[in-house]
Amino acid sequence: MKRVFIICALALLLIGCNETTKKKQSFCLQGAWKLRKVEFPEGKTREYPTEEGSTYCRIYGQDSVFYQCQLTTTDRGIVIMPIEMSEVTLINKGNGEVLYLEDEDPHPLTLAGDTSLTIQQTGVLYSWVRDNDLYKDWGDDIRDIVSREMQNADNAYTHSYVLSAKERQQQKTIHWLVFIICLVMMGVIQYVIASHKSKQRLRLQLQQIQEEHEERSQHVRQAIMADEKRFFASDEYEALHKRIISGQQLTKQEWTDVEKMLKTVYPGFTIQLRGLLPMSELEYQTCLLIKLRIQPKDIASVLIRDVSTISTVRSRLYNKVFGKKGGTKDWDNFILSIGA
């Protein structure tokens, strides 16, 4: 037990030392730094940015490299001219003392919190201030431009680049438009493919209905006609017919009963009708009433629609199924021919 206590105490001590070390090393150069002032040994000082809005900028990354450029603020945006790219090493010597090396050359470094630093090079003091907004908005762009320019040995001179928030927004807008256009095109292509498959399926369905109708023997035709004659002479049909022509609306259960009634005479009707294409409730009920030999004016009455609306429904269905214009009678004849 005593040994376990000692081990735990040592572990806590090591964790504490590690946290203390982290606190000592909490200062980080990563980010964007803009040159604010240069102090020369003879006492002269140069302030930045200049009257032309020009200064120098360094981007320190996580890759132990800094990327430096000249930075000028204009009405168009930020103009940068790549200057150099150098290796950087920071060594925490303790007690707030930091050894700073550029390409392994040591330079005295003075830190002022986490917002400014001063680097001494050949007796000249360069004071830099952190710019979080610049790093957030353009840090990656500046780093990539400087890196590309410095690694391109074929360039006889360095190019200037304009970083414009307006142009970036325009580019984002263009990218979004391209993305949206691609989505729309994909949707259109999928619709065309689906429409083609639907039309092909519909053609096969119509072909099957036509073949079934043509292959009926005389005996089958006579049997169907006999079933129809008995059905339309039945008391059940007569009661339904009177209810419909009186303009009384049918309940949901009564519509279900109508479907069952039709199936006793036309076993395949509702299946073939549903298989043609997706129909609205109005379209489907109109077709059921046509099959029951209900007149258009009575269909309109029981469905609480104008006669013109029922005519439009019939013509539209014919156009959808056959892909060409047709009259109301064309659709009625087709409905009367299927389902037996």
Side-chain angles (χ1 to χ4, degrees):
M1 186 69 181
K2 185 176 180 181
R3 180 178 296 176
V4 173
F5 176 79
I6 294 173
I7 292 173
C8 290
L10 288 173
L12 290 172
L13 181 62
L14 288 173
I15 292 172
C17 292
N18 188 43
E19 290 298 323
T20 302
T21 304
K22 286 181 179 179
K23 289 179 181 178
K24 288 181 179 179
Q25 296 177 340
S26 62
F27 183 83
C28 177
L29 287 182
Q30 182 180 353
W33 298 83
K34 289 163 63 173
L35 185 62
R36 179 57 56 85
K37 183 172 60 175
V38 177
E39 299 177 68
F40 298 95
E42 60 272 20
K44 293 183 180 180
T45 301
R46 182 178 298 169
E47 301 285 343
Y48 290 89
T50 63
E51 293 181 359
E52 294 78 17
S54 179
T55 185
Y56 294 87
C57 171
R58 283 187 174 185
I59 302 294
Y60 287 94
Q62 294 179 326
D63 52 0
S64 300
V65 175
F66 78 75
Y67 307 83
Q68 183 165 321
C69 66
Q70 184 179 0
L71 183 151
T72 306
T73 303
T74 68
D75 294 337
R76 291 182 56 197
I78 298 174
V79 180
I80 67 168
M81 180 178 291
I83 295 177
E84 65 173 313
M85 182 175 69
S86 300
E87 293 282 342
V88 175
T89 304
L90 268 182
I91 301 175
N92 191 341
K93 300 176 66 176
N95 298 322
E97 186 179 353
V98 178
L99 181 62
Y100 175 83
L101 296 91
E102 288 185 12
D103 292 331
E104 299 185 357
D105 292 331
H107 301 282
L109 176 71
T110 303
L111 309 176
D114 193 38
T115 58
S116 63
L117 63 90
T118 301
I119 302 173
Q120 182 177 349
Q121 294 176 296
T122 61
V124 181
L125 298 177
Y126 296 87
S127 297
W128 303 80
V129 293
R130 187 186 291 275
D131 191 328
N132 291 325
D133 291 337
L134 179 66
Y135 186 69
K136 178 182 177 182
D137 295 338
W138 303 109
D140 291 340
D141 299 86
I142 294 174
R143 181 193 60 198
D144 294 343
I145 290 171
V146 174
S147 176
R148 184 170 61 250
E149 283 286 335
M150 295 301 104
Q151 293 177 11
N152 189 353
D154 296 334
N155 279 345
Y157 61 92
T158 303
H159 299 83
S160 295
Y161 298 83
V162 179
L163 303 178
S164 170
K166 182 178 180 180
E167 290 180 4
R168 171 177 282 184
Q169 185 59 45
Q170 290 175 344
Q171 289 176 353
K172 288 182 178 179
T173 302
I174 292 172
H175 290 161
W176 272 109
L177 286 174
V178 171
F179 176 71
I180 292 171
I181 290 171
C182 289
L183 285 180
V184 171
M185 290 181 64
M186 289 175 61
V188 170
I189 291 172
Q190 289 180 351
Y191 172 79
V192 170
I193 293 173
S195 179
H196 176 73
K197 289 182 178 179
S198 177
K199 289 180 180 178
Q200 188 176 25
R201 179 192 58 77
L202 184 58
R203 283 196 298 270
L204 292 174
Q205 183 77 7
L206 290 173
Q207 183 179 351
Q208 183 180 358
I209 292 173
Q210 183 178 3
E211 289 175 354
E212 289 179 359
H213 185 74
E214 292 174 351
E215 291 173 0
R216 291 174 187 166
S217 64
Q218 186 64 26
H219 177 72
V220 172
R221 294 175 189 271
Q222 290 176 350
I224 292 173
M225 291 175 63
D227 288 341
E228 287 179 333
K229 186 175 181 179
R230 283 192 296 271
F231 171 69
F232 289 112
S234 67
D235 294 338
E236 186 180 16
Y237 174 78
E238 185 65 25
L240 176 63
H241 185 264
K242 286 182 179 179
R243 180 172 173 77
I244 290 173
I245 64 176
S246 67
Q248 297 182 45
Q249 289 183 263
L250 301 182
T251 65
K252 186 176 182 180
Q253 181 58 47
E254 286 174 326
W255 280 112
T256 302
D257 293 339
V258 167
E259 288 182 314
K260 292 179 180 178
M261 189 182 300
L262 284 171
K263 285 179 182 179
T264 61
V265 188
Y266 309 107
F269 174 68
T270 55
I271 294 175
Q272 289 182 345
L273 184 62
R274 291 285 194 186
L276 289 173
L277 73 167
M279 289 187 181
S280 67
E281 186 178 72
L282 174 62
E283 292 172 334
Y284 182 66
Q285 291 175 351
T286 298
C287 293
L288 295 182
L289 295 174
I290 292 171
K291 196 68 173 177
L292 286 172
R293 310 296 198 275
I294 306 299
Q295 294 300 313
K297 64 180 182 62
D298 296 322
I299 294 176
S301 178
V302 75
L303 296 180
I304 317 178
R305 296 290 195 281
D306 294 333
V307 175
S308 61
T309 301
I310 300 303
S311 297
T312 301
V313 168
R314 293 147 68 201
S315 300
R316 185 173 62 232
L317 283 171
Y318 187 88
N319 188 17
K320 285 182 180 179
V321 171
F322 292 96
K324 59 183 180 180
K325 290 184 178 181
T328 55
K329 290 295 183 181
D330 296 324
W331 180 250
D332 292 351
N333 291 334
F334 172 69
I335 291 296
L336 295 175
S337 69
I338 66 174

